[in-house]
PDB file of all heavy atoms in Angstrom:
ATOM      1  N   GLN A  39      -0.986  -2.459  -8.157  1.00  0.00           N
ATOM      2  CA  GLN A  39      -1.735  -1.364  -8.614  1.00  0.00           C
ATOM      3  C   GLN A  39      -2.042  -1.506 -10.164  1.00  0.00           C
ATOM      4  O   GLN A  39      -1.077  -1.330 -10.884  1.00  0.00           O
ATOM      5  CB  GLN A  39      -1.189   0.013  -8.408  1.00  0.00           C
ATOM      6  CG  GLN A  39      -2.186   1.143  -8.712  1.00  0.00           C
ATOM      7  CD  GLN A  39      -1.611   2.476  -8.203  1.00  0.00           C
ATOM      8  OE1 GLN A  39      -0.441   2.678  -8.183  1.00  0.00           O
ATOM      9  NE2 GLN A  39      -2.510   3.387  -7.823  1.00  0.00           N
ATOM     10  N   ASN A  57       3.462 -15.093  10.733  1.00  0.00           N
ATOM     11  CA  ASN A  57       2.129 -14.815  10.166  1.00  0.00           C
ATOM     12  C   ASN A  57       2.317 -14.246   8.712  1.00  0.00           C
ATOM     13  O   ASN A  57       2.969 -13.239   8.495  1.00  0.00           O
ATOM     14  CB  ASN A  57       1.409 -13.706  10.949  1.00  0.00           C
ATOM     15  CG  ASN A  57       0.057 -13.488  10.439  1.00  0.00           C
ATOM     16  OD1 ASN A  57      -0.592 -14.389   9.668  1.00  0.00           O
ATOM     17  ND2 ASN A  57      -0.624 -12.443  10.817  1.00  0.00           N
ATOM     18  N   ASP A  62      -7.598 -12.078  -0.867  1.00  0.00           N
ATOM     19  CA  ASP A  62      -8.575 -13.089  -1.390  1.00  0.00           C
ATOM     20  C   ASP A  62      -8.336 -13.462  -2.845  1.00  0.00           C
ATOM     21  O   ASP A  62      -8.395 -14.621  -3.238  1.00  0.00           O
ATOM     22  CB  ASP A  62      -9.956 -12.614  -1.178  1.00  0.00           C
ATOM     23  CG  ASP A  62     -10.422 -12.607   0.298  1.00  0.00           C
ATOM     24  OD1 ASP A  62      -9.719 -13.144   1.105  1.00  0.00           O
ATOM     25  OD2 ASP A  62     -11.388 -11.810   0.599  1.00  0.00           O
ATOM     26  N   ALA A 101       3.423  -0.289   8.998  1.00  0.00           N
ATOM     27  CA  ALA A 101       2.536   0.588   8.211  1.00  0.00           C
ATOM     28  C   ALA A 101       2.959   0.841   6.732  1.00  0.00           C
ATOM     29  O   ALA A 101       2.365   1.748   6.135  1.00  0.00           O
ATOM     30  CB  ALA A 101       2.528   2.022   8.990  1.00  0.00           C
ATOM     31  N   GLY A 106       9.214   0.525  -2.768  1.00  0.00           N
ATOM     32  CA  GLY A 106      10.110   0.569  -3.910  1.00  0.00           C
ATOM     33  C   GLY A 106       9.320   1.282  -5.035  1.00  0.00           C
ATOM     34  O   GLY A 106       8.258   1.823  -4.865  1.00  0.00           O
TER      35      GLY A 106
ATOM     36  N   TYR B  37      -1.857   7.411   2.630  1.00  0.00           N
ATOM     37  CA  TYR B  37      -0.748   7.422   1.706  1.00  0.00           C
ATOM     38  C   TYR B  37      -1.082   8.422   0.569  1.00  0.00           C
ATOM     39  O   TYR B  37      -2.252   8.705   0.181  1.00  0.00           O
ATOM     40  CB  TYR B  37      -0.539   6.068   0.976  1.00  0.00           C
ATOM     41  CG  TYR B  37      -0.274   4.935   1.971  1.00  0.00           C
ATOM     42  CD1 TYR B  37      -1.396   4.244   2.571  1.00  0.00           C
ATOM     43  CD2 TYR B  37       0.978   4.652   2.412  1.00  0.00           C
ATOM     44  CE1 TYR B  37      -1.231   3.221   3.392  1.00  0.00           C
ATOM     45  CE2 TYR B  37       1.189   3.655   3.251  1.00  0.00           C
ATOM     46  CZ  TYR B  37       0.194   2.873   3.856  1.00  0.00           C
ATOM     47  OH  TYR B  37       0.476   1.980   4.680  1.00  0.00           O
ATOM     48  N   GLN B  39      -0.053   9.552  -3.316  1.00  0.00           N
ATOM     49  CA  GLN B  39       0.687   9.053  -4.529  1.00  0.00           C
ATOM     50  C   GLN B  39       0.630  10.123  -5.548  1.00  0.00           C
ATOM     51  O   GLN B  39      -0.368  10.442  -6.227  1.00  0.00           O
ATOM     52  CB  GLN B  39       0.043   7.830  -5.134  1.00  0.00           C
ATOM     53  CG  GLN B  39       0.798   7.132  -6.164  1.00  0.00           C
ATOM     54  CD  GLN B  39       0.149   5.842  -6.711  1.00  0.00           C
ATOM     55  OE1 GLN B  39      -1.168   5.661  -6.600  1.00  0.00           O
ATOM     56  NE2 GLN B  39       0.955   4.920  -7.095  1.00  0.00           N
ATOM     57  N   ALA B  44       5.680   6.065  -6.696  1.00  0.00           N
ATOM     58  CA  ALA B  44       5.180   5.162  -5.666  1.00  0.00           C
ATOM     59  C   ALA B  44       4.472   5.845  -4.532  1.00  0.00           C
ATOM     60  O   ALA B  44       4.615   7.149  -4.270  1.00  0.00           O
ATOM     61  CB  ALA B  44       6.367   4.351  -5.068  1.00  0.00           C
ATOM     62  N   ARG B  96      -9.969 -10.663   7.729  1.00  0.00           N
ATOM     63  CA  ARG B  96      -9.263 -11.080   6.463  1.00  0.00           C
ATOM     64  C   ARG B  96      -7.783 -11.411   6.657  1.00  0.00           C
ATOM     65  O   ARG B  96      -7.116 -11.971   5.882  1.00  0.00           O
ATOM     66  CB  ARG B  96      -9.380  -9.974   5.436  1.00  0.00           C
ATOM     67  CG  ARG B  96     -10.724  -9.640   5.000  1.00  0.00           C
ATOM     68  CD  ARG B  96     -10.817  -8.286   4.146  1.00  0.00           C
ATOM     69  NE  ARG B  96     -12.142  -8.025   3.775  1.00  0.00           N
ATOM     70  CZ  ARG B  96     -12.709  -8.203   2.575  1.00  0.00           C
ATOM     71  NH1 ARG B  96     -11.901  -8.831   1.566  1.00  0.00           N
ATOM     72  NH2 ARG B  96     -13.891  -7.956   2.339  1.00  0.00           N
ATOM     73  N   ASN B  97      -7.362 -11.110   7.887  1.00  0.00           N
ATOM     74  CA  ASN B  97      -5.865 -11.271   8.203  1.00  0.00           C
ATOM     75  C   ASN B  97      -5.116 -10.568   7.137  1.00  0.00           C
ATOM     76  O   ASN B  97      -4.111 -11.206   6.588  1.00  0.00           O
ATOM     77  CB  ASN B  97      -5.525 -12.755   8.357  1.00  0.00           C
ATOM     78  CG  ASN B  97      -4.042 -13.024   8.913  1.00  0.00           C
ATOM     79  OD1 ASN B  97      -3.649 -12.240   9.691  1.00  0.00           O
ATOM     80  ND2 ASN B  97      -3.404 -14.011   8.455  1.00  0.00           N
TER      81      ASN B  97
END
Side-chain angles (χ1 to χ4, degrees):
Chain A
Q39 187 172 35
N57 188 15
D62 289 343
Chain B
Y37 303 89
Q39 188 175 32
R96 295 168 185 261
N97 190 36

